[in-house]
């Protein structure tokens, strides 16, 4: 059975990153950006910040257990001709700016291949990705390991994602979150990066299929079923790791993000999960279907608890009333 309301509960209560954490993420990225903008050496080169990855695509999920959640953002920087022959200097200088800052120098931070990572105590980190629009017209990020530029098109990827999600009536993003949660919750197809999973699932979206079958992406469970089936068909037709192009049209591929062994494991796990999803979706008995879905997604897959929600609403309403009353009293007094 589809059990759509159970999927809504799973997403809302378990999978989606909470508003509190999203707000904390926004605040911390803003603070880091202000610190870099104020840095004496690179501040004049810092032009803007642009959300990237799962955060930008709204596919970020709540971490399972004690795993970290994270956000990537592009740090748009003006091209510095003095660093032309050494792109990695942009990463080194961002790292140095954190090193000089009164607050961030006390926090763990490190240089990665394409970013500077800043770690917080409460299982969260921020990846700062220097992003430069070169005088020759190229949009690039840095590959520090090879000391070279890599082409990128963040606006193009976001536009592609928005289009594919629109075709599915907004269900693609939810399915991506569910598959990421399945990966982490079940420790399944570990090693498959989110960018790979997002691109592969997005590539399965087809407007033609909605013309043939208007309800192809009717709701979350139906979209999950069809996208995973279509992905499995694609994977089983490719025993060898296929090339995964950046759908933005930047000209780069994501092939370096996984190996043949990682791909083979992912291919097999998707085959298994396809059968599990089909069994849960098509089973006519509600209780059995619920058990099958829970075997995939855990006990967070359940009916909405209206009594608990009412209690939360009453508590929230009482808190608002208390704050309002206090505020009015203070203004009057």
């Amino acid at each position: 059975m589809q059990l759509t309301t159970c999927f809504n509960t799973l997403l809302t209560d378990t999978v989606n990153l909470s508003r509190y954490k999203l707000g904390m993420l926004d605040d911390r990225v803003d603070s880091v950006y202000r610190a870099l903008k104020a840095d004496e050496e690179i501040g004049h080169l810092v032009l803007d910040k642009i959300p990237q990855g799962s955060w930008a695509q709204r596919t970020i999920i709540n971490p399972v257990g004690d795993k970290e959640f994270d956000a990537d953002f592009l740090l748009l920087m003006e091209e510095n001709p003095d660093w032309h022959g050494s792109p990695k200097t942009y990463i080194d200088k961002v790292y140095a700016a954190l090193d000089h800052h009164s607050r961030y120098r006390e926090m763990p931070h490190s240089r990665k291949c394409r970013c500077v990572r800043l770690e917080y105590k409460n299982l969260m980190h921020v990846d700062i990705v220097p992003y430069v629009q070169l005088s020759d017209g190229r949009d690039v990020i840095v590959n520090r390991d090879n000391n070279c530029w890599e082409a990128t098109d963040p606006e193009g990827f976001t536009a592609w994602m928005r289009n594919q999600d629109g075709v599915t009536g907004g269900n693609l993003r939810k399915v991506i979150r569910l598959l990421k949660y399945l990966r982490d919750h079940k420790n399944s197809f570990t090693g498959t990066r989110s960018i790979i999973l997002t691109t592969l699932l997005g590539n399965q979206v087809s407007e033609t299929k909605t013309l043939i079958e208007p309800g192809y992406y009717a709701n979350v469970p139906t979209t999950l079923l069809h996208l995973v089936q279509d992905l499995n068909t694609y994977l089983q037709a490719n025993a060898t790791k296929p090339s995964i192009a950046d759908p933005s049209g930047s000209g780069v591929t994501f092939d370096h993000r996984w190996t043949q062994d990682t791909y083979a494991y992912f291919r097999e796990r998707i085959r298994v999960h396809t059968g599990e999803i089909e069994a849960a979706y098509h089973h006519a008995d509600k209780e059995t279907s619920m058990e099958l879905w829970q075997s995939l997604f855990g006990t967070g897959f359940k009916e909405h608890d209206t009594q608990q929600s009412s209690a939360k609403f009453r508590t929230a309403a009482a808190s608002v009333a208390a704050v309002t009353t206090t505020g009015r009293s203070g203004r009057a007094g």
Side-chain angles (χ1 to χ4, degrees), residues 3-234:
L3 302 179
T4 306
T5 57
C6 295
F7 274 100
N8 292 338
T9 301
L10 174 67
L11 284 162
T12 302
D13 295 349
T14 303
V15 175
N16 296 346
L17 196 66
S18 69
R19 289 185 180 181
Y20 169 75
K21 288 181 178 178
L22 284 171
M24 181 171 64
L25 195 54
D26 285 336
D27 291 343
R28 288 179 170 176
V29 168
D30 286 345
S31 295
V32 171
Y33 176 74
R34 287 195 299 269
L36 295 174
K37 185 73 174 172
D39 183 74
E40 290 185 0
E41 184 173 9
I42 68 169
H44 67 289
L45 297 174
V46 174
L47 303 177
D48 200 0
K49 57 178 170 61
I50 305 167
Q52 190 192 30
S54 299
W55 184 32
Q57 307 310 327
R58 298 184 3 238
T59 58
I60 192 170
I61 65 168
N62 206 36
V64 176
D66 60 355
K67 294 182 179 180
E68 291 186 342
F69 73 97
D70 66 280
D72 300 0
F73 76 92
L74 297 171
L75 183 70
L76 179 59
M77 300 180 70
E78 184 177 328
E79 182 179 8
N80 186 337
D82 293 340
W83 304 343
H84 179 73
S86 182
K88 71 177 184 179
T89 304
Y90 288 86
I91 285 180
D92 293 339
K93 293 296 184 182
V94 170
Y95 176 85
L98 294 180
D99 240 8
H100 300 153
H101 193 270
S102 59
R103 177 185 178 189
Y104 297 121
R105 69 186 175 200
E106 303 298 330
M107 296 170 57
H109 53 285
S110 57
R111 285 168 283 196
K112 302 296 182 181
C113 179
R114 297 171 182 83
C115 69
V116 176
R117 176 166 296 177
L118 179 64
E119 299 180 35
Y120 292 80
K121 289 182 179 179
N122 53 347
L123 299 176
M124 172 193 166
H125 67 262
V126 170
D127 287 341
I128 308 160
V129 184
Y131 166 50
V132 184
Q133 296 175 328
L134 299 176
S135 56
D136 62 11
R138 289 182 294 156
D139 288 2
V140 294
I141 58 174
V142 177
N143 182 315
R144 183 173 176 271
D145 292 348
N146 297 328
N147 197 18
C148 67
W149 298 119
E150 288 184 356
T152 188
D153 183 3
E155 292 182 357
F157 194 96
T158 298
W160 171 80
M161 184 68 179
R162 188 184 304 116
N163 179 77
Q164 301 303 90
D165 192 47
V167 172
T168 66
N171 290 319
L172 170 61
R173 296 181 201 272
K174 297 173 183 177
V175 167
I176 291 171
R177 286 185 223 137
L178 289 170
L179 264 292
K180 288 171 65 174
Y181 182 79
L182 177 62
R183 175 194 62 189
D184 298 345
H185 172 72
K186 300 279 285 188
N187 287 320
S188 190
F189 52 91
T190 53
T192 299
R193 301 285 187 88
S194 294
I195 187 65
I196 294 284
L197 187 60
T198 295
T199 303
L200 283 172
L201 285 169
N203 282 343
Q204 307 314 310
V205 173
S206 169
E207 288 189 80
T208 302
K209 289 179 179 177
T210 65
L211 297 175
I212 298 171
E213 186 179 338
Y216 202 75
Y217 306 119
N219 52 37
V220 171
T222 301
T223 305
L224 171 66
L225 173 72
H226 288 150
L227 287 183
V228 172
Q229 285 178 328
D230 292 342
L231 175 59
N232 183 55
T233 298
Y234 169 76

